[in-house]
Amino acid sequence: MKSSTGRRAATKQKLYEAAVTLIAEQGFSATTVDEIAERAGVAKGTVYYNFASKSVLFEELLRHGVGLLTASLREAAEQTARSGGSRVDALDAMIRAGLVFIHRYPAFTQLYVAELWRTNRAWQETLMVVRQEAVAVVEGVLRDGVEAGEFSDEIDVSLTAAALVGMVLVAALDWLAFQPERSLDDVHGALSLLLQGRVTGRR
């Protein structure tokens, strides 16, 4: 039997999934709380019990989704370190983890990328914070690699980290939208080759 905390977490997850699907389909403004409740299979009051407003729900959705992505990137890096892999191996594992996440949550990823370029949203500051948390995981691996002499000290760590995250996001969305016949292994292999050439300078 689930505890009240477990039930509430499950309800929130249903609301997240309903909201992200609807907003991806028809946009934030066109999506109503009634529709979110109906899609989640709960009463309208349940939405307001868990979230003060639709905007708060969406802000928490962004925190939740990017938090999952950040955790998967961090775990990929830590697992590589535990197994004795290099920093390039860690970045490669993070690329794969990012692709796995996006393949699992394509609607959320579309929303996240779209919202990055908007400037008039109430949750803009939150979005910038959670984006930086994800990028910071990649920055940490790059910084460690520079200090260990594995990467050139000429690289711009913050810009390179943002570029790697952006590469995975955009390439994965392109894959899912326009090249869905390709396997995850195929896409990962292509990005892995790009990583090897751009970061380590190998020929």
Side-chain angles (χ1 to χ4, degrees), residues 149-163:
E150 190 173 347
F151 301 144
S152 168
D153 59 8
E154 295 180 358
I155 67 170
D156 184 314
V157 170
S158 61
L159 188 57
T160 301

Side-chain angles (χ1 to χ4, degrees), residues 11-26:
T11 298
K12 279 193 168 186
Q13 184 61 35
K14 284 182 183 178
L15 291 170
Y16 287 141
E17 291 172 1
V20 74
T21 304
L22 285 164
I23 295 169
E25 289 173 357
Q26 57 196 32

Side-chain angles (χ1 to χ4, degrees), residues 169-190:
L169 288 171
V170 175
L173 289 177
D174 185 89
W175 160 43
L176 295 175
F178 304 114
Q179 306 177 65
E181 72 283 355
R182 300 185 70 161
S183 68
L184 191 149
D185 286 342
D186 188 24
V187 177
H188 174 224

Side-chain angles (χ1 to χ4, degrees), residues 117-147:
W117 309 115
R118 299 185 193 277
T119 57
N120 60 341
R121 300 295 207 190
W123 49 80
Q124 189 67 24
E125 186 175 342
T126 293
L127 186 59
M128 292 301 99
V129 170
V130 294
R131 171 206 166 272
Q132 184 52 39
E133 288 172 358
V135 173
V137 180
V138 184
E139 286 181 353
V141 173
L142 287 169
R143 197 168 286 111
D144 288 347
V146 170
E147 290 175 1

Side-chain angles (χ1 to χ4, degrees), residues 55-73:
S55 291
V56 170
L57 167 56
F58 192 64
E59 184 172 347
E60 288 302 310
L61 170 63
L62 291 171
R63 286 184 186 276
H64 178 68
V66 180
L68 291 175
L69 173 60
T70 301
S72 67
L73 295 177

Side-chain angles (χ1 to χ4, degrees), residues 21-95:
T21 304
L22 285 164
I23 295 169
E25 289 173 357
Q26 57 196 32
F28 177 80
S29 298
T31 300
T32 67
V33 171
D34 283 339
E35 288 173 319
I36 293 171
E38 183 180 356
R39 180 70 66 95
V42 302
K44 181 178 179 180
T46 302
V47 180
Y48 291 115
Y49 175 73
N50 286 278
F51 304 99
S53 66
K54 185 177 71 170
S55 291
V56 170
L57 167 56
F58 192 64
E59 184 172 347
E60 288 302 310
L61 170 63
L62 291 171
R63 286 184 186 276
H64 178 68
V66 180
L68 291 175
L69 173 60
T70 301
S72 67
L73 295 177
R74 184 177 292 111
E75 173 57 26
E78 291 174 352
Q79 190 170 349
T80 302
R82 287 194 298 268
S83 64
S86 67
R87 272 78 177 195
V88 173
D89 293 332
L91 292 175
D92 191 54
M94 293 163 88
I95 287 174

